Amino acid sequence: MKTALITGATSGIGKSTAIELAKHNINLVICGRRQERLDDLQKELSSTVKVHTLCFDVRDKESVFKSIESLPTEFGTIDILINNAGNAHGLDPIQTGSVDDWDAMIDINVKGLLYVSKAIMPKMIDQKSGHIINIGSIAGKEVYPNGNVYCASKYAVDAINKGMRLDLNQYGIRVGAIHPGLVETEFSNVRFKSDDQRADSVYKGFDPLTPEDIADIISFVVTRPYRVNIADLVVFPTAQASSTIVKKKL
């Protein structure tokens, strides 16, 4: 049986991906900052597959490496890495943006992804196989008004994904990215700092993607024959045509 390590597994796309991969008999290392939620998910899935939890913040380099180094032998071989942890903070013009918000987005979306990948890649290189899925965003393909630093962080994910694919090719490691449009998760609640009314308005008037939609796509990608590498995939809800064009009901 294969083993997948998923960051940001306590909610949204990460949690749904863990549930979906368990259906394919893939053992799981689920990672996040909220131990109680990790424990609940472990309890839910342990009757189907083996599940191990790691509680750390991807921004904390030392914690990332210590946590991954602590994996027990039965979870020592990571076949699939889902770099899902990410966030947006604020939606402000660059001239009025918060430096703390900028730091959070760069530290989590870019540096956190790199830390986790750095901890896992040597194992994949040694075994001459592996599959890395980087969860990007349409914001990494199109800059939108007030998106500035968030978009920059996701453009970085897009570039890192391409660089990884080039550098790891010689080791037989598959690398690909999935770039969703509007997915209804806790994303907007975090971006708008728990302003639920503003967050809810983002998804009103149309049918957004769900975390389960993206999890289904991830499971498809990782279960293809090993000769197949889905390198770069953009997915929108039907109502969305670009980062700024969404058909909403009047």
Side-chain angles (χ1 to χ4, degrees):
M1 289 176 67
K2 291 184 176 181
T3 298
L5 186 145
I6 305 170
T7 64
T10 56
S11 65
I13 292 169
K15 179 179 179 180
S16 293
T17 299
I19 293 168
E20 185 62 31
L21 294 187
K23 296 175 186 175
H24 293 274
N25 295 316
I26 295 173
N27 293 328
L28 301 167
V29 178
I30 50 174
C31 311
R33 293 178 294 110
R34 294 170 284 193
Q35 185 67 56
E36 186 177 342
R37 290 194 181 192
L38 291 172
D39 291 342
D40 288 344
L41 185 57
Q42 181 183 39
K43 190 179 299 183
E44 178 182 347
L45 300 178
S46 287
S47 62
T48 306
V49 294
K50 295 178 182 177
V51 183
H52 186 77
T53 70
L54 292 178
C55 188
F56 62 83
D57 187 331
V58 296
R59 290 176 288 190
D60 186 336
K61 179 171 58 177
E62 184 176 347
S63 181
V64 168
F65 284 93
K66 280 188 174 179
S67 295
I68 292 173
E69 286 170 5
S70 75
L71 284 170
T73 303
E74 63 180 328
F75 292 95
T77 299
I78 302 299
D79 303 287
I80 302 162
L81 168 60
I82 311 293
N83 276 318
N84 168 71
N87 74 100
H89 288 273
L91 188 65
D92 304 294
I94 197 162
Q95 66 273 18
T96 59
S98 160
V99 173
D100 288 342
D101 286 348
W102 296 352
D103 285 343
M105 290 184 282
I106 292 169
D107 287 348
I108 296 172
N109 297 348
V110 183
K111 293 166 70 176
L113 181 150
L114 288 169
Y115 295 157
V116 175
S117 299
K118 181 71 170 175
I120 296 296
M121 285 186 293
K123 302 172 186 290
M124 292 185 171
I125 289 169
D126 286 346
Q127 65 205 32
K128 297 291 192 294
S129 68
H131 198 167
I132 299 173
I133 301 293
N134 298 305
I135 304 301
S137 169
I138 186 56
K141 301 290 189 179
E142 306 173 36
V143 178
Y144 52 78
N146 301 330
N148 45 79
V149 175
Y150 174 68
C151 292
S153 73
K154 288 301 186 178
Y155 265 73
V157 171
D158 191 31
I160 290 165
N161 178 70
K162 292 172 182 174
M164 272 188 186
R165 190 165 60 250
L166 296 176
D167 294 342
L168 297 177
N169 174 263
Q170 63 181 306
Y171 304 108
I173 297 170
R174 296 193 287 185
V175 179
I178 297 171
H179 305 277
L182 287 159
V183 186
E184 189 168 9
T185 65
E186 296 178 354
F187 176 89
S188 290
N189 300 80
V190 174
R191 163 167 268 178
F192 298 126
K193 307 180 194 306
S194 299
D195 183 340
D196 293 339
Q197 186 174 359
R198 191 177 180 192
D200 290 346
S201 70
V202 173
Y203 307 109
K204 284 187 176 176
F206 73 106
D207 195 11
L209 295 168
T210 68
E212 291 78 14
D213 293 330
I214 306 304
D216 185 49
I217 290 167
I218 292 170
S219 72
F220 174 81
V221 169
V222 301
T223 56
R224 293 312 85 206
Y226 207 81
R227 65 181 178 273
V228 177
N229 181 41
I230 298 175
D232 199 65
L233 190 156
V234 174
V235 55
F236 285 129
T238 300
Q240 186 176 12
S242 74
S243 62
T244 57
I245 297 175
V246 183
K247 178 178 171 55
K248 294 193 175 186
K249 298 173 185 175
L250 298 177

